[in-house]
Amino acid sequence: MILLVALVVVLAVTLSALAPNTFPTLRNMQSMMGQIAPLAILSLCIGITFLIGGIDLSIVAVANCAAITAALVGEAMGPDAGALGILAAGGSALAIGLLAGLTNGFLISRSRVHPIAITLGTMSVFIGISTGITNGATVFGNGYLSGLSTATVALMPMTFVVFLVLLALCTVVTLKTRFGFHMYALGESDKVARFSRLPVGRTILLTYAASGVLAAIAGLIMFSSTNAANVSFASSYLMQAILIAVVAGIDPYGGTGRLWAILLGAAAMQMLQTGINMSLGSWSGASFASNFIWGVLLIAVLGLSKWLSMRKRRTREAEVEQKLEAAQPEAA
């Protein structure tokens, strides 16, 4: 956490010094918060599945499927549906996310196959369904949800406020409820959780259901800002969401981490993206360079996380051995 806070501060100070007339302005801060919102919500999906020792690789596919559903339902309702059109479009998108999450959770809990294989398969299924419905073309909405991306609350974009509310809700659930305890226990050891008769299947099912709903909300936010949806939108968000969750200190192996740190991780990654854009400018290979940097960072952070985890475990084992050795003479 200290390193993460230091990274955010250093990036903010550095970028402010490099671009004092553009970076530290209110308009730029609002723009960055608006860009953070959908990606940070997808990072929440990764974070909650990390906590139980899983992963959800289908989140971007679910987000796009939900956005496409909202666009098609809104078009079917017509431009004069008003509030009913908003409810129909948003509700149908959330229903798609819930169904997708329940499907992932059911398959993982019943088959006991690693979540990578299951969610990679369902990702292809969701992409196939979305492609079949749209024939791979971009679909456009009636502007029902455009207010979500333009409204502000306390000078913050509404989309960022939605992320903060979801982050607070997920943090409270994971840290202050029995279900949250079950999530951490399952992530620490699947076998121990099963032998302890914890509701492992229900925990997996509800966690992935929540991931699906969160992904659908992220899809609605992306759709509200562009009024368009396509099966290939936000293809790079999956890797970035995983990177943010790992940078935030959530252990990919489960049982460790605090979801509230995703806010810091998302802020650091957005500032880093801004720095990359400032450095590369209008270079034609900027997109390739960005993806390359995200990949290198993900590998580096995963390696560092694993090394720190192993060092912490060895330190604990050494402390236990010292206590045992100190207790043996006393017992004699």
Side-chain angles (χ1 to χ4, degrees):
M1 290 301 101
I2 295 175
L3 291 175
L4 187 55
V5 172
L7 176 62
V8 173
V9 172
V10 169
L11 285 172
V13 171
T14 302
L15 293 173
S16 298
L18 292 175
N21 296 325
T22 56
F23 182 79
T25 62
L26 175 61
R27 183 175 181 179
N28 185 56
M29 292 297 107
Q30 289 177 331
S31 175
M32 289 177 61
M33 285 188 285
Q35 294 175 42
I36 284 174
L39 180 56
I41 294 175
L42 291 176
S43 300
L44 266 179
C45 300
I46 297 295
I48 61 175
T49 53
F50 270 0
L51 286 182
I52 64 171
I55 190 172
D56 190 351
L57 299 179
S58 67
I59 51 175
V60 173
V62 173
N64 285 329
C65 190
I68 289 170
T69 301
L72 295 177
V73 170
E75 182 181 3
M77 294 292 293
D80 300 324
L84 182 60
I86 295 175
L87 292 175
S92 59
L94 295 178
I96 289 295
L98 178 60
L99 179 61
L102 289 173
T103 301
N104 284 333
F106 178 80
L107 293 175
I108 292 169
S109 62
R110 291 297 182 181
S111 66
R112 298 194 184 182
V113 175
H114 197 281
I116 289 179
I118 295 294
T119 57
L120 190 61
T122 55
M123 176 184 70
S124 299
V125 171
F126 301 146
I127 290 175
I129 293 174
S130 300
T131 304
I133 293 173
T134 63
N135 292 321
T138 300
V139 294
F140 299 92
N142 291 320
Y144 285 146
L145 302 175
S146 59
L148 183 62
S149 62
T150 57
T152 59
V153 177
L155 299 180
M156 295 184 295
M158 175 66 77
T159 54
F160 188 73
V161 174
V162 170
F163 159 64
L164 292 179
V165 171
L166 294 174
L167 179 65
L169 179 62
C170 291
T171 300
V172 170
V173 169
T174 53
L175 295 181
K176 300 296 183 181
T177 67
R178 182 176 296 180
F179 178 74
F181 170 78
H182 292 165
M183 292 177 67
Y184 278 100
L186 177 58
E188 187 67 26
S189 175
D190 175 83
K191 291 183 178 180
V192 172
R194 293 184 186 276
F195 282 127
S196 302
R197 294 193 174 184
L198 295 181
V200 172
R202 185 175 65 186
T203 302
I204 294 174
L205 185 67
L206 293 178
T207 300
Y208 279 91
S211 176
V213 173
L214 289 171
I217 294 174
L220 287 174
I221 288 176
M222 290 188 289
F223 174 63
S224 70
S225 62
T226 61
N227 197 37
N230 187 283
V231 69
S232 62
F233 281 0
S235 57
S236 65
Y237 274 17
L238 176 60
M239 180 172 60
Q240 294 182 44
I242 295 174
L243 178 58
I244 289 173
V246 174
V247 167
I250 303 174
D251 191 347
Y253 298 97
T256 303
R258 297 292 184 267
L259 292 179
W260 60 263
I262 286 177
L263 176 61
L264 296 175
M269 291 303 100
Q270 182 59 47
M271 290 181 188
L272 187 58
Q273 179 67 61
T274 301
I276 292 173
N277 293 337
M278 290 171 57
S279 301
L280 300 180
S282 59
W283 178 45
S284 59
S287 178
F288 165 77
S290 296
N291 289 332
F292 176 80
I293 291 171
W294 295 134
V296 171
L297 278 175
L298 180 58
I299 294 172
V301 172
L302 282 172
L304 177 62
S305 176
K306 182 64 175 178
W307 178 74
L308 290 173
S309 178
M310 291 178 62
R311 190 178 72 168
K312 187 175 182 180
R313 181 175 299 178
R314 289 172 183 171
T315 302
R316 288 179 177 176
E317 291 175 352
E319 291 176 353
V320 171
E321 290 179 359
Q322 291 178 358
K323 290 180 180 179
L324 290 175
E325 291 176 357
Q328 286 177 355
E330 295 179 1

